[in-house]
Coordinates of all heavy atoms in Angstrom, one line a residue:
W23 N -2.3 -23.1 -9.6 CA -1.7 -24.4 -9.9 C -1.1 -24.4 -11.2 O -0.2 -25.2 -11.5 CB -2.8 -25.5 -9.8 CG -3.9 -25.2 -10.8 CD1 -5.1 -24.5 -10.6 CD2 -4.0 -25.7 -12.1 NE1 -5.9 -24.5 -11.7 CE2 -5.2 -25.3 -12.6 CE3 -3.2 -26.5 -12.9 CZ2 -5.6 -25.6 -13.9 CZ3 -3.6 -26.8 -14.2 CH2 -4.8 -26.4 -14.7
T24 N -1.5 -23.5 -12.1 CA -0.9 -23.5 -13.5 C 0.6 -23.1 -13.5 O 1.2 -23.3 -14.6 CB -1.7 -22.6 -14.4 OG1 -1.7 -21.2 -13.9 CG2 -3.1 -23.1 -14.6
D25 N 1.1 -22.6 -12.4 CA 2.5 -22.2 -12.4 C 3.4 -23.4 -12.2 O 4.6 -23.4 -12.4 CB 2.8 -21.1 -11.4 CG 2.6 -21.6 -10.0 OD1 2.4 -22.8 -9.7 OD2 2.7 -20.7 -9.1
L26 N 2.8 -24.6 -11.9 CA 3.5 -25.9 -11.8 C 4.7 -25.8 -10.8 O 5.7 -26.4 -11.1 CB 3.9 -26.4 -13.1 CG 2.8 -26.8 -14.1 CD1 3.3 -27.2 -15.4 CD2 1.9 -27.9 -13.5
N27 N 4.5 -25.1 -9.7 CA 5.5 -25.0 -8.7 C 5.4 -26.2 -7.7 O 6.2 -26.4 -6.9 CB 5.5 -23.7 -7.9 CG 6.1 -22.6 -8.7 OD1 7.0 -22.8 -9.5 ND2 5.6 -21.4 -8.5
Q28 N 4.3 -26.9 -7.8 CA 4.0 -28.1 -7.1 C 3.1 -29.0 -7.9 O 2.6 -28.6 -8.9 CB 3.4 -27.8 -5.7 CG 2.1 -27.0 -5.8 CD 1.6 -26.5 -4.5 OE1 2.2 -26.8 -3.4 NE2 0.6 -25.8 -4.4
C29 N 3.0 -30.3 -7.5 CA 2.2 -31.2 -8.2 C 0.7 -30.7 -8.3 O 0.2 -30.1 -7.4 CB 2.2 -32.6 -7.5 SG 3.8 -33.4 -7.5
V30 N 0.2 -31.0 -9.5 CA -1.2 -30.5 -9.8 C -2.2 -31.4 -9.0 O -2.1 -32.6 -9.0 CB -1.5 -30.7 -11.3 CG1 -2.9 -30.3 -11.6 CG2 -0.6 -29.8 -12.1
E31 N -3.1 -30.8 -8.3 CA -4.1 -31.5 -7.5 C -5.5 -31.2 -8.2 O -5.8 -30.1 -8.5 CB -4.1 -31.0 -6.1 CG -2.8 -31.3 -5.3 CD -2.5 -32.8 -5.2 OE1 -3.5 -33.6 -5.2 OE2 -1.3 -33.2 -5.2
W32 N -6.3 -32.2 -8.2 CA -7.6 -32.1 -8.9 C -8.5 -31.0 -8.2 O -9.2 -30.3 -8.9 CB -8.4 -33.5 -8.9 CG -9.8 -33.3 -9.3 CD1 -10.9 -33.5 -8.5 CD2 -10.3 -32.9 -10.5 NE1 -12.0 -33.3 -9.2 CE2 -11.7 -32.9 -10.5 CE3 -9.7 -32.5 -11.7 CZ2 -12.5 -32.5 -11.6 CZ3 -10.5 -32.1 -12.8 CH2 -11.8 -32.1 -12.7
E33 N -8.4 -30.9 -6.9 CA -9.2 -29.9 -6.1 C -8.9 -28.5 -6.6 O -9.8 -27.7 -6.8 CB -8.9 -30.0 -4.6 CG -9.4 -31.3 -4.0 CD -8.4 -32.5 -4.2 OE1 -7.2 -32.2 -4.5 OE2 -8.8 -33.6 -4.2
N34 N -7.7 -28.2 -6.9 CA -7.3 -26.9 -7.4 C -7.8 -26.7 -8.8 O -8.3 -25.6 -9.2 CB -5.8 -26.7 -7.4 CG -5.3 -26.8 -6.0 OD1 -6.0 -26.5 -5.0 ND2 -4.0 -27.2 -5.8
V35 N -7.7 -27.7 -9.7 CA -8.2 -27.6 -11.0 C -9.7 -27.4 -11.0 O -10.3 -26.7 -11.8 CB -7.8 -28.8 -11.9 CG1 -8.3 -28.7 -13.3 CG2 -6.2 -28.9 -11.9
Q36 N -10.3 -28.1 -10.1 CA -11.8 -28.1 -10.0 C -12.3 -26.7 -9.6 O -13.3 -26.2 -10.1 CB -12.3 -29.1 -9.0 CG -13.8 -29.4 -9.1 CD -14.1 -30.6 -8.2 OE1 -13.5 -30.8 -7.2 NE2 -15.2 -31.3 -8.6
K37 N -11.5 -26.0 -8.8 CA -11.8 -24.6 -8.4 C -11.7 -23.7 -9.6 O -12.5 -22.8 -9.8 CB -10.9 -24.1 -7.3 CG -11.2 -24.8 -5.9 CD -10.2 -24.3 -4.9 CE -10.4 -25.1 -3.6 NZ -9.4 -24.8 -2.6
T38 N -10.7 -23.9 -10.4 CA -10.6 -23.2 -11.6 C -11.7 -23.4 -12.6 O -12.3 -22.5 -13.2 CB -9.3 -23.5 -12.4 OG1 -8.2 -23.2 -11.5 CG2 -9.1 -22.7 -13.6
L39 N -12.1 -24.7 -12.7 CA -13.3 -25.0 -13.5 C -14.5 -24.3 -13.0 O -15.3 -23.7 -13.8 CB -13.5 -26.5 -13.6 CG -14.7 -27.0 -14.4 CD1 -14.6 -26.5 -15.9 CD2 -14.8 -28.5 -14.3
E40 N -14.7 -24.3 -11.7 CA -15.9 -23.6 -11.2 C -15.8 -22.1 -11.5 O -16.8 -21.4 -11.8 CB -16.0 -23.8 -9.7 CG -16.3 -25.2 -9.3 CD -16.1 -25.5 -7.8 OE1 -15.8 -24.6 -7.0 OE2 -16.3 -26.7 -7.4
F41 N -14.6 -21.5 -11.3 CA -14.4 -20.1 -11.6 C -14.8 -19.8 -13.1 O -15.5 -18.8 -13.4 CB -13.0 -19.6 -11.3 CG -12.7 -18.2 -11.7 CD1 -13.0 -17.2 -10.9 CD2 -12.0 -17.9 -12.9 CE1 -12.7 -15.9 -11.2 CE2 -11.8 -16.6 -13.3 CZ -12.1 -15.6 -12.4
I42 N -14.2 -20.6 -14.0 CA -14.5 -20.4 -15.4 C -16.0 -20.6 -15.7 O -16.6 -19.8 -16.5 CB -13.7 -21.4 -16.3 CG1 -12.2 -21.2 -16.1 CG2 -14.1 -21.4 -17.7 CD1 -11.6 -20.0 -16.7
S43 N -16.6 -21.6 -15.2 CA -18.0 -21.8 -15.4 C -18.9 -20.7 -14.9 O -19.9 -20.3 -15.5 CB -18.4 -23.1 -14.8 OG -17.7 -24.2 -15.3
E44 N -18.5 -20.1 -13.8 CA -19.3 -19.0 -13.2 C -19.1 -17.7 -14.0 O -20.1 -17.0 -14.1 CB -18.7 -18.8 -11.7 CG -19.5 -17.7 -11.0 CD -18.9 -17.5 -9.6 OE1 -18.6 -18.5 -8.9 OE2 -18.8 -16.4 -9.1
H45 N -18.0 -17.5 -14.5 CA -17.7 -16.2 -15.1 C -17.9 -16.3 -16.7 O -18.1 -15.2 -17.3 CB -16.3 -15.7 -14.8 CG -16.2 -15.2 -13.4 ND1 -15.9 -16.1 -12.4 CD2 -16.4 -14.0 -12.8 CE1 -15.9 -15.4 -11.2 NE2 -16.2 -14.2 -11.5
F46 N -17.8 -17.4 -17.2 CA -17.8 -17.6 -18.7 C -18.8 -18.8 -19.0 O -18.3 -19.9 -19.1 CB -16.5 -17.9 -19.3 CG -15.5 -16.8 -18.9 CD1 -14.6 -17.0 -17.9 CD2 -15.4 -15.6 -19.6 CE1 -13.6 -16.1 -17.5 CE2 -14.5 -14.7 -19.2 CZ -13.6 -14.9 -18.2

């Protein structure tokens, strides 16, 4: 989603947050 080729959706950002929280 960070490439901004389409509108940002919360669900996608939330998956990133989960990834970051899991690994860092």
Side-chain angles (χ1 to χ4, degrees):
W23 62 270
T24 60
D25 65 9
L26 294 175
N27 282 329
Q28 56 189 357
C29 292
V30 176
E31 297 297 331
W32 171 246
E33 294 78 26
N34 298 331
V35 177
Q36 196 171 29
K37 288 177 187 173
T38 301
L39 179 59
E40 290 168 4
F41 175 82
I42 297 286
S43 298
E44 181 180 321
H45 291 85
F46 305 98

